[in-house]
C-alpha cells in the first residue's frame, strides 16, 4: 500500500524561497535607484531657481572688488543702484497683487541687499577721497544732489520713505487689477533701464574707465539666461520684454567699450 498523502497545502521548496528572496532584493534595489533618480531630478530642478535668486548679484562682485582695490568709485554710476532698488521694491509690491514665482520674489530681496552693500562701499570710498568738507544730505531737499549724498544713511532713509509710500498706495488700490498691472509694468520697465545711467555716463566722459567690463559681460550673460527662464516658465509678459530690452542696452555698453578703447589707442 502506498503511503497516505498528507492533506493540505504542500510546504514551499528551498528553491522557491530563494527565488522570492532574490526578487525582493531586486525590487528593493530598483526602488532605491528610483528614489536616487528623484533626488537628482529634484536637485536639477532647483538649480535654475538658485541661479535666478543669486545669479543677479554676481555681475556686481567684480565692480565691488574693483572699487575696493582702487579706492575709487568715480567710474561706477550709483544710479544703477537707484534703478535696481526702485525696480525690486516695486516688484515685491507687484507680487502681493499678482502672485508669481517665489523665486523672483526672493531674487528681489537678495538684489536689494546687494545694492545697499555696494552703495555703502561707494559712500565710504568717496568720503575717504573727498578733500572738501561740504556735505550733502537727503534733508537738504536739493535736487541737484539727489542720490549723490554724503552718508549711506540718507540712501537707506530714501528707500524706506519710498517703501512706506508704496505700501500706503498699494493698500488703497490693491483690489484694482489695472493698478497692479501698472505696478508690474513700471517695475519691469525700471529694471530694463538698468544700464542706461552707465551708458549715459560713459557717453558723457567718452570713456569707460573705472567701469568693470566684467560686470557688463556678466550682465549680458545673466540677462540672456533670465530672459530664456522667463519664456520657458511662462512668467508675465512684462518680465521677458524687460529682459530683451536689457540685452539690447548691455550690447550697446559693450560697443562703447570697443569704440572708446579704439579711440584711446589711436591717440599718440
Amino acid at each position: 500500500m502506498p503511503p497516505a498523502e498528507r492533506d493540505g497545502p504542500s510546504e514551499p521548496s528551498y528553491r522557491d524561497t530563494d527565488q522570492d528572496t532574490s526578487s525582493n532584493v531586486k525590487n528593493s534595489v530598483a526602488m532605491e535607484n528610483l528614489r536616487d533618480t528623484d533626488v537628482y531630478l529634484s536637485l536639477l530642478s532647483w538649480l535654475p531657481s538658485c541661479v535666478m535668486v543669486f545669479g543677479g548679484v554676481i555681475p556686481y562682485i567684480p565692480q565691488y572688488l574693483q572699487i575696493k582695490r582702487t579706492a575709487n568709485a568715480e567710474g561706477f554710476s550709483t544710479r544703477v543702484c537707484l534703478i535696481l532698488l526702485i525696480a525690486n521694491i516695486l516688484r515685491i509690491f507687484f507680487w502681493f497683487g499678482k502672485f508669481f514665482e517665489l523665486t523672483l520674489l526672493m531674487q528681489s530681496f537678495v538684489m536689494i541687499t546687494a545694492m545697499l552693500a555696494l552703495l555703502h562701499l561707494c559712500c565710504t570710498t568717496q568720503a575717504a577721497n573727498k578733500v572738501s568738507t561740504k556735505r550733502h544730505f537727503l534733508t537738504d531737499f536739493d535736487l541737484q544732489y539727489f542720490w549723490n549724498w554724503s552718508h549711506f544713511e540718507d540712501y537707506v532713509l530714501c528707500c524706506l520713505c519710498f517703501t512706506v509710500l508704496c505700501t500706503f498706495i498699494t493698500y488703497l488700490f490693491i483690489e484694482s487689477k489695472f493698478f497692479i498691472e501698472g505696478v508690474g509694468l513700471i517695475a519691469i520697465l525700471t529694471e530694463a533701464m538698468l544700464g542706461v545711467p552707465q551708458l549715459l555716463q560713459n557717453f558723457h566722459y567718452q570713456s569707460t574707465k573705472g567701469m568693470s567690463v566684467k560686470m557688463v559681460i556678466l550682465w549680458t550673460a545673466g540677462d540672456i539666461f533670465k530672459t530664456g527662464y522667463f519664456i520657458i516658465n511662462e512668467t508675465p509678459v512684462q518680465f521677458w520684454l524687460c529682459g530683451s530690452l536689457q540685452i539690447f542696452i548691455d550690447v550697446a555698453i559693450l560697443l562703447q567699450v570697443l569704440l572708446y578703447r579704439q579711440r584711446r589707442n589711436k591717440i599718440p
Side-chain angles (χ1 to χ4, degrees), residues 165-220:
L165 178 63
C166 290
T167 302
F168 178 71
I169 296 176
T170 304
Y171 175 77
L172 293 178
F173 300 101
I174 189 67
E175 300 298 330
S176 171
K177 183 179 179 180
F178 177 79
F179 170 78
I180 294 300
E181 292 293 341
V183 169
L185 183 61
I186 294 172
I188 300 304
L189 287 177
T190 303
E191 186 175 352
M193 296 294 107
L194 168 64
V196 172
Q198 192 66 58
L199 185 75
L200 295 177
Q201 180 165 310
N202 295 343
F203 179 77
H204 176 73
Y205 291 108
Q206 294 291 293
S207 172
T208 57
K209 184 179 179 181
M211 182 198 74
S212 173
V213 179
K214 293 179 182 178
M215 177 186 72
V216 183
I217 293 174
L218 290 172
W219 271 358
T220 309

Side-chain angles (χ1 to χ4, degrees), residues 76-86 89 119 123 126 130 135-163 165 190 197 201:
F76 175 70
S77 175
T78 55
R79 296 288 198 280
V80 171
C81 299
L82 171 64
I83 288 177
L84 280 174
L85 286 168
I86 291 175
I89 290 171
L119 273 175
C123 290
Q126 290 170 354
K130 282 185 177 178
R135 295 287 183 264
H136 304 288
F137 304 95
L138 172 64
T139 51
D140 293 338
F141 300 109
D142 188 346
L143 291 178
Q144 182 181 355
Y145 293 100
F146 177 77
W147 208 255
N148 193 26
W149 303 304
S150 302
H151 295 289
F152 173 69
E153 291 78 5
D154 290 307
Y155 294 95
V156 176
L157 181 59
C158 181
C159 291
L160 288 176
C161 291
F162 179 71
T163 302
L165 178 63
T190 303
Q201 180 165 310

Side-chain angles (χ1 to χ4, degrees), residues 87-108 180 183-184 187-188 230 233-236 238-239:
N88 284 280
I89 290 171
L90 288 176
R91 189 197 286 184
I92 291 171
F93 286 100
F94 180 44
W95 186 88
F96 283 104
K98 183 177 182 178
F99 297 122
F100 48 84
E101 281 194 80
L102 190 62
T103 298
L104 300 178
L105 179 66
M106 295 172 63
Q107 182 195 50
S108 292
I180 294 300
V183 169
I188 300 304
F230 293 152
N233 288 274
E234 299 181 349
T235 54
Q238 296 101 319
F239 284 95

